[in-house]
C-alpha cells in the first residue's frame, strides 16, 4: 500500500508564548504586587467603614468603663502626689538641718584639735628648752621647736612662663602632662641639696621643715607636711650664706635645678641674705636615737637607727 506524503504547512509554524522579562524574579514580583497581607487589608476596610469605634452596646460599655478607670487612676495619683509633697519637703528640711548641725559639730571639733595641738606644741617646746646645753639646742633646732634667725640664702622656684599642657621628655613619663610645672620631686631635691650643702634650718613658703618633714604631691599641688603650697616657692635656709650658696649651686641638686631651667623653662633665683627668719614648726615630733651595739637584742630599740632627713 503506497505511503501518503507528509502534509507540509505553507504558513508560519506556531510556537510557545514569549516569557516575561521578570519571570526569574517571581518571588520579588509577588511581594511587590501583594505588599499588604489580606488580613491587614480586611482590617483596614472595616475601620474605614465603622470609623474605628465599637458598634455594639457591649463594646461601648467596656470602652466607657476603661476610660472611667483610667481617669480615676490619674486623679488618685495626682491627689497622692499633692498629699505627699509636704511630707517630702519636711523630710528634706530635717535632713538639711541635720547636715548643718553635723557640720557645726565638725568645725567645733577641728577647733578643739587645733587648740590641743597648739597646747601640745607649747609643752614640747618648754620640755626642750628645759634641757640646757648644746644637746638641747641641737634637738630644738632639728625638731623646729624654736624660731631661727641668721644669715642664709633665699631661693625662689617658680613654674615656667605660659605653662600649658602637653610636652615630651623624661618628666612626661611620670604621668604629669605639664612639664613646665614644678613638681614635688623637684622640691625634694632642692631641699635635700640645701641640707647637704650645710643648711641648719629650711622653710618653704613659711612652712618650717624638720628632719621628719615630708614633701608630697596631691594632683598638681605640692604638700609640705600635708599643707598645700602655691607657686612661687620661696625657700629660706639658715647657714653660712656665701658658702651655702656656692656649695649648693656646685652640687648635683644645683645642677639639676639649672637643667630644669634650660630644658623646661622653670624659673629660679638664688641670693645670699644677711638675715633670714624662719618660724617654728607648727607641730613637733621629737625622736632620739642611740648608737647601735653589736650585742643589742633584736627589738630592743638600741640597734641601728636611720636618722636621715625624710624630705623625699
Amino acid at each position: 500500500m503506497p505511503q501518503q506524503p507528509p502534509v507540509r504547512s505553507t504558513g508560519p509554524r506556531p510556537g510557545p508564548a514569549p516569557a516575561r522579562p521578570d519571570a526569574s524574579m517571581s518571588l520579588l514580583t509577588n511581594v511587590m504586587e501583594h505588599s499588604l497581607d489580606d488580613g491587614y487589608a480586611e482590617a483596614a476596610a472595616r475601620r474605614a467603614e465603622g470609623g474605628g469605634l465599637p458598634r455594639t452596646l457591649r463594646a461601648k460599655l467596656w470602652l466607657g468603663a476603661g476610660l472611667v478607670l483610667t481617669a480615676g487612676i490619674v486623679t488618685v495619683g495626682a491627689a497622692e502626689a499633692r498629699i505627699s509633697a509636704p511630707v517630702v519637703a519636711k523630710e528634706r528640711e530635717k535632713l538639711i538641718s541635720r547636715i548643718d548641725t553635723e557640720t557645726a559639730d565638725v568645725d567645733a571639733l577641728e577647733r578643739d584639735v587645733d587648740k590641743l595641738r597648739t597646747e601640745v606644741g607649747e609643752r614640747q617646746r618648754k620640755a626642750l628648752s628645759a634641757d640646757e646645753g648644746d644637746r638641747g639646742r641641737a634637738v630644738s633646732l632639728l625638731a623646729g621647736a624654736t624660731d631661727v634667725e641668721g644669715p642664709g640664702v633665699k631661693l625662689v622656684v617658680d613654674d615656667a612662663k605660659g605653662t600649658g599642657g602637653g610636652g615630651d621628655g623624661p618628666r612626661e613619663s611620670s604621668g604629669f602632662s605639664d612639664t613646665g610645672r614644678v613638681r614635688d620631686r623637684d622640691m625634694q631635691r632642692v631641699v635635700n641639696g640645701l641640707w647637704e650643702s650645710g643648711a641648719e634650718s629650711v622653710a618653704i613658703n613659711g612652712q618650717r621643715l624638720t628632719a621628719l618633714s615630708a614633701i608630697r604631691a596631691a594632683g598638681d599641688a605640692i604638700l609640705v607636711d600635708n599643707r598645700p603650697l602655691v607657686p612661687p616657692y620661696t625657700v629660706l635656709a639658715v647657714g653660712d650664706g656665701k658658702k651655702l650658696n656656692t656649695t649648693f649651686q656646685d652640687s648635683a641638686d644645683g645642677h639639676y635645678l639649672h637643667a630644669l631651667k634650660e630644658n623646661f623653662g622653670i624659673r629660679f633665683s638664688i641670693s645670699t641674705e644677711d638675715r633670714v627668719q624662719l618660724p617654728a614648726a607648727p607641730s613637733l615630733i621629737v625622736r632620739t636615737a642611740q648608737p647601735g651595739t653589736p650585742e643589742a637584742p633584736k627589738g630592743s630599740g638600741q640597734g641601728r637607727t636611720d636618722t636621715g632627713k625624710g624630705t623625699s
Side-chain angles (χ1 to χ4, degrees):
M1 182 175 178
Q3 297 180 351
Q4 296 293 332
V7 179
R8 297 183 178 181
S9 175
T10 57
R13 194 172 183 178
R20 293 179 57 177
D22 57 353
S24 61
M25 298 183 291
S26 59
L27 178 60
L28 182 60
T29 302
N30 185 36
V31 171
M32 295 297 294
E33 293 178 352
H34 303 85
S35 59
L36 190 62
D37 188 76
D38 295 339
Y40 288 106
E42 292 178 3
R46 287 197 301 269
R47 286 196 299 269
E49 293 176 358
L53 297 176
R55 291 177 293 177
T56 63
L57 179 60
R58 183 177 182 181
K60 292 180 180 179
L61 292 176
W62 278 109
L63 178 60
L67 294 175
V68 171
L69 181 61
T70 303
I73 293 175
V74 173
T75 303
V76 172
E80 290 181 352
R82 180 172 296 181
I83 294 173
S84 61
V87 178
V88 174
K90 290 181 180 180
E91 292 179 353
R92 182 174 180 274
E93 291 177 358
K94 290 181 180 179
L95 181 60
I96 293 175
S97 177
R98 181 178 177 184
I99 292 174
D100 293 339
T101 302
E102 296 294 337
T103 302
D105 293 341
V106 170
D107 293 339
L109 290 175
E110 289 180 351
R111 288 191 295 269
D112 293 341
V113 169
D114 293 338
K115 182 179 178 181
L116 292 174
R117 185 181 289 117
T118 303
E119 183 179 350
V120 170
E122 292 296 332
R123 290 178 179 272
Q124 288 178 334
R125 291 183 179 90
K126 290 180 180 180
L128 289 174
S129 61
D131 190 357
E132 299 295 340
D134 295 338
R135 180 177 180 276
R137 287 192 294 270
V139 172
S140 299
L141 181 65
L142 293 176
T146 58
D147 299 342
V148 178
E149 182 179 350
V153 297
K154 177 181 179 181
L155 175 62
V156 180
V157 185
D158 198 359
D159 296 336
K161 290 184 178 180
T163 301
D168 51 13
R171 303 177 82 233
E172 181 71 13
S173 61
S174 64
F176 292 107
S177 61
D178 184 4
T179 57
R181 299 287 298 273
V182 179
R183 302 302 178 193
D184 58 327
R185 60 182 178 275
D186 303 330
M187 297 307 300
Q188 289 171 6
R189 294 203 59 167
V190 168
V191 171
N192 285 332
L194 290 172
W195 285 120
E196 293 176 2
S197 300
E200 299 176 3
S201 301
V202 181
I204 303 178
N205 286 11
Q207 181 70 27
R208 179 76 173 275
L209 301 180
T210 67
L212 299 177
S213 295
I215 300 177
R216 294 290 183 264
D220 283 345
I222 295 179
L223 306 180
V224 175
D225 291 336
N226 294 325
R227 294 177 181 268
L229 305 180
V230 294
Y233 306 102
T234 302
V235 183
L236 298 178
V238 174
D240 187 345
K242 294 182 179 180
K243 181 180 179 181
L244 181 60
N245 190 338
T246 303
T247 305
F248 172 75
Q249 296 201 59
D250 292 339
S251 66
D253 298 309
H255 294 162
Y256 173 81
L257 195 57
H258 283 280
L260 292 181
K261 181 178 180 180
E262 294 175 359
N263 298 328
F264 303 103
I266 289 178
R267 298 168 288 173
F268 80 93
S269 62
I270 184 170
S271 61
T272 303
E273 303 291 331
D274 295 333
R275 178 179 176 274
V276 293
Q277 186 173 4
L278 277 61
S283 59
L284 300 179
I285 301 177
V286 181
R287 296 179 182 176
T288 58
Q290 297 178 357
T293 56
E295 64 275 4
K298 184 177 180 181
S300 62
Q302 298 181 357
R304 186 176 180 181
T305 304
D306 184 8
T307 59
K309 297 175 175 62
T311 55
S312 60

